[in-house]
Amino acid sequence: METTQLEGLISMLFVLGILVLLVLPSVIGIVRDRRIDRQLREAEQGHLKDQKSSSKPTEPSTATWYAEGRRSKKLVSS
């Protein structure tokens, strides 16, 4: 291997190393985001299974109760 070929090989490896260093943070971020998305999906599916298996009826919130009361008063007073 001649000197010019060796210099070319070293230069090419150096450029590839810099490219890897530039791309690596993006790849790590993508992998991390996918892992978090997967964990959120699993948690949501687990939460939905818990809700479906529950036989206890849900109570309406105070805001819903108040809004329904105001609607019925409007109908009565009209």
Side-chain angles (χ1 to χ4, degrees):
M1 191 176 253
E2 294 180 17
T3 307
T4 55
Q5 289 177 333
L6 186 60
E7 287 177 358
L9 179 63
I10 291 172
S11 298
M12 186 176 63
L13 290 175
F14 183 73
V15 169
L16 287 175
I18 290 175
L19 181 65
V20 167
L21 287 176
L22 290 174
V23 172
L24 190 62
S26 297
V27 172
I28 291 171
I30 290 169
V31 170
R32 183 174 175 259
D33 285 347
R34 286 183 164 219
R35 185 193 60 186
I36 291 171
D37 289 343
R38 180 179 42 95
Q39 289 174 346
L40 287 173
R41 261 186 272 117
E42 289 173 357
E44 188 176 86
Q45 288 173 353
H47 182 67
L48 291 175
K49 287 179 184 177
D50 291 344
Q51 281 185 346
K52 288 180 183 177
S53 65
S54 175
S55 60
K56 178 183 169 188
T58 58
E59 297 284 327
S61 69
T62 305
T64 305
W65 174 79
Y66 180 75
E68 287 175 357
R70 287 184 52 92
R71 273 189 242 126
S72 64
K73 286 180 185 177
K74 284 183 181 178
L75 293 175
V76 172
S77 64
S78 305

